[in-house]
Amino acid sequence: MLNTKKKSLVIATIMLLISAILLSTASFAWFSMNTTVKATGIEFEAYSDSLFLVISQENDKNYDVTTTFKSGEKSVRLSTMDRLTDGAYLISPADVADGTRYKSDDDINYFVKVTSAQSNDSYEGSNYLLINDRLHDASSVKGYYKVSDTNDEIVFNLIKTADVYDASANKSYYKKVGNNYELQTSLVDGVTELYSYYEIEFKNPCADGERYDGKSVYYSVDNNGNVCVVGGLALGSLVQDYFTIETPQSKTTVADGTSTYHVLNARGDFVSIGVPEKDTDLTDYVYFARSYSDSITNSGAGNTLSVIKEDQLDEYYIHNTVYLKKEVDTNHGTNLRVSAVEVLGKDSVSDSIRILFVAKNGKGEIARADYNNRTQTITHWDNANANNEGILFDTILGNEQEIITVDIYIYFDGTDNSTVTKDHYMTGQSVSVEFSIDKPEYIKN
């Protein structure tokens, strides 16, 4: 007679139940250093109906179709996860020369250096933040008349004779009042003496794109024809304390163990990921980060990141580990995968829930997947089956010959705009995650 377990083979599934009660009453954008989200009552539950894929919280005992983690409470800070797929930057910042001022026409990016303290939870080293959006050009002088040491575009000719006004000459005369020159419109033909008045010779006005040079005097003509000194002109921003960075033509793919490497975020900032261990693969490098937003209504998803040290990450996610294996007297399982995730309950930050799965098989191979609750999608990163569907591993050995370790990280993605909701309302959350392997061929539909 066939073994009773084998006779009842159907799809293998494992359910993971997470109850998360988020406690907060304040309204924060996710960048706030003190923003935390409470997660309580964490429970894991797994079941297997008949393929004898079992689960435990320990890798050497207590395997069963269900396992439940003790309820508890944990404060979780908002973060985001990202992944390098083509390497990191090894940069060479250069000091800007003293006296240099910003000119947008130069098409140069300037960076301010921000060094993380050793006590900070982000990597030591220097982040170089793009500041061009805070810089300004010198004032435009288009249409003004420039008087300089080398070239005058407007000439003021003082009349030193006792000549009288001749209307037929069709000339304009001006009287100097302070630093301005007022157009005289009430001169009497043949009577008004022109002594001490000015004739003004207008040459070429400043062209489009010409800007204040900090030395010359500029004049404009107002609607009444008066010639006035232009005030309030400003020089371009002083950038002598900043840095320029020439982006390397290629990225470094393997860490040398001594250099500080950087990632380039959506804002154009170079953000330190510290000094990865020698031979670290920078083409497959996962990191968690936090950011700052300049608006309470927008998460600032592309804003400056600070990459969080690995030994500080416990403050940014809920981490649990489960172990999967096939029971005694069972055949190999195929195409182990994260097959379903369901968030039960809805509150103001539900859309920001993310889950990262990191699985390790008996050969030491690593496979990962993630779940995005806003889009309700599961993405397997590393492997796919014959139908190009994402999986963790193509085989799990039967008869207790292999244990699959799955680390599960639940976090709240601060780049999701739900985290800047004006009024946070928190309710109980439960998240079920299902792992599956293929049905036997003879019972597939």
Side-chain angles (χ1 to χ4, degrees):
M1 179 180 292
L2 293 175
N3 184 292
T4 303
K5 295 179 179 178
K6 292 182 179 179
K7 290 176 61 179
S8 59
L9 290 175
V10 291
I11 187 168
T13 57
I14 295 179
M15 296 296 293
L16 170 65
L17 176 64
I18 303 169
S19 298
I21 302 174
L22 310 178
L23 307 176
S24 176
T25 57
S27 173
F28 293 110
W30 79 288
F31 58 88
S32 175
M33 293 289 288
N34 296 319
T35 299
T36 61
V37 182
K38 298 286 188 179
T40 67
I42 307 300
E43 294 183 346
F44 291 82
E45 181 177 324
Y47 71 84
S48 174
D49 48 13
S50 59
L51 255 185
F52 302 105
L53 187 63
V54 289
I55 189 170
S56 176
Q57 299 176 37
E58 302 170 89
N59 69 346
D60 58 351
K61 59 183 177 181
N62 298 327
Y63 281 90
D64 203 343
V65 294
T66 63
T67 185
T68 302
F69 285 75
K70 292 182 179 179
S71 298
E73 179 179 295
K74 182 179 179 180
S75 177
V76 180
R77 297 174 181 173
L78 297 167
S79 63
T80 190
M81 181 191 69
D82 210 341
R83 178 188 181 196
L84 299 182
T85 58
D86 57 356
Y89 287 105
L90 188 58
I91 61 175
S92 299
D95 292 321
V96 178
D98 288 350
T100 303
R101 292 188 178 273
Y102 177 69
K103 296 180 182 178
S104 60
D105 292 341
D106 291 342
D107 197 25
I108 296 174
N109 287 331
Y110 294 95
F111 299 84
V112 61
K113 179 180 179 180
V114 179
T115 302
S116 299
Q118 188 172 4
S119 58
N120 201 301
D121 62 4
S122 58
Y123 280 111
E124 293 91 24
S126 298
N127 297 334
Y128 291 86
L129 312 184
L130 183 67
I131 59 161
N132 283 43
D133 59 353
R134 287 183 265 166
L135 304 177
H136 61 81
D137 279 300
S139 300
S140 172
V141 293
K142 177 184 177 181
Y144 299 156
Y145 294 90
K146 176 180 176 179
V147 175
S148 69
D149 293 337
T150 59
N151 187 30
D152 293 343
E153 299 299 340
I154 186 170
V155 179
F156 303 93
N157 297 310
L158 176 64
I159 299 175
K160 301 178 182 179
T161 65
D163 295 342
V164 294
Y165 177 63
D166 179 2
S168 65
N170 197 28
K171 294 183 178 180
S172 296
Y173 298 92
Y174 299 81
K175 184 175 183 180
K176 186 175 183 181
V177 179
N179 291 321
N180 299 326
Y181 297 82
E182 293 182 356
L183 177 64
Q184 302 301 295
T185 59
S186 58
L187 301 176
V188 178
D189 186 25
V191 176
T192 303
E193 187 177 290
L194 298 177
Y195 180 79
S196 77
Y197 286 82
Y198 286 83
E199 287 185 273
I200 298 179
E201 182 181 354
F202 296 93
K203 298 183 179 180
N204 297 324
C206 295
D208 187 17
E210 193 169 348
R211 295 188 177 278
Y212 178 55
D213 60 16
K215 300 176 182 179
S216 304
V217 178
Y218 297 83
Y219 291 87
S220 64
V221 180
D222 68 16
N223 293 334
N224 296 317
N226 302 315
V227 178
C228 307
V229 172
V230 179
L233 298 177
L235 289 169
S237 298
L238 195 64
V239 292
Q240 64 183 29
D241 295 325
Y242 301 138
F243 296 83
T244 58
I245 298 175
E246 185 175 349
T247 303
Q249 296 299 310
S250 61
K251 296 180 181 179
T252 302
T253 58
V254 179
D256 61 16
T258 59
S259 300
T260 298
Y261 295 94
H262 291 76
V263 295
L264 186 62
N265 72 3
R267 279 195 68 252
D269 307 316
F270 286 93
V271 183
S272 170
I273 61 172
V275 183
E277 294 183 3
K278 183 177 175 57
D279 297 328
T280 296
D281 183 1
L282 299 178
T283 66
D284 190 9
Y285 188 85
V286 178
Y287 61 91
F288 281 81
R290 52 182 167 78
S291 181
Y292 294 85
S293 173
D294 52 10
S295 171
I296 195 65
T297 60
N298 190 292
S299 65
N303 283 3
T304 303
L305 298 174
S306 295
V307 178
I308 304 165
K309 299 175 186 175
E310 289 188 15
D311 60 5
Q312 299 290 325
L313 285 174
D314 187 59
E315 300 295 329
Y316 291 89
Y317 52 54
I318 302 163
H319 173 223
N320 281 282
T321 304
V322 293
Y323 302 90
L324 312 175
K325 71 177 182 179
K326 297 293 296 300
E327 267 287 21
V328 66
D329 295 330
T330 57
N331 294 322
H332 300 338
T334 58
N335 294 328
L336 177 66
R337 59 197 177 274
V338 182
S339 56
V341 177
E342 183 181 15
V343 174
L344 305 175
K346 180 72 175 177
D347 60 33
S348 61
V349 294
S350 295
D351 286 341
S352 73
I353 293 174
R354 306 289 187 268
I355 304 175
L356 171 64
F357 303 90
V358 181
K360 183 177 181 180
N361 67 8
K363 294 188 290 184
E365 297 171 333
I366 302 295
R368 296 152 300 180
D370 67 68
Y371 171 74
N372 181 323
N373 194 47
R374 175 171 286 279
T375 59
Q376 299 184 0
T377 54
I378 302 166
T379 303
H380 290 79
W381 296 6
D382 303 293
N383 299 309
N385 62 14
N387 296 322
N388 203 32
E389 298 164 334
I391 60 172
L392 295 174
F393 302 111
D394 56 9
T395 302
I396 174 173
L397 299 181
N399 197 28
E400 297 188 323
Q401 295 301 302
E402 182 174 29
I403 294 175
I404 305 293
T405 303
V406 184
D407 286 301
I408 303 168
Y409 304 88
I410 305 101
Y411 64 99
F412 301 89
D413 188 355
T415 66
D416 191 289
N417 262 1
S418 67
T419 58
V420 295
T421 306
K422 181 179 179 181
D423 297 313
H424 284 178
Y425 57 95
M426 310 295 180
T427 61
Q429 293 280 358
S430 64
V431 180
S432 64
V433 179
E434 177 180 283
F435 298 87
S436 297
I437 56 178
D438 287 352
K439 299 177 183 179
E441 288 294 332
Y442 62 83
I443 62 171
K444 285 185 178 179
N445 295 328

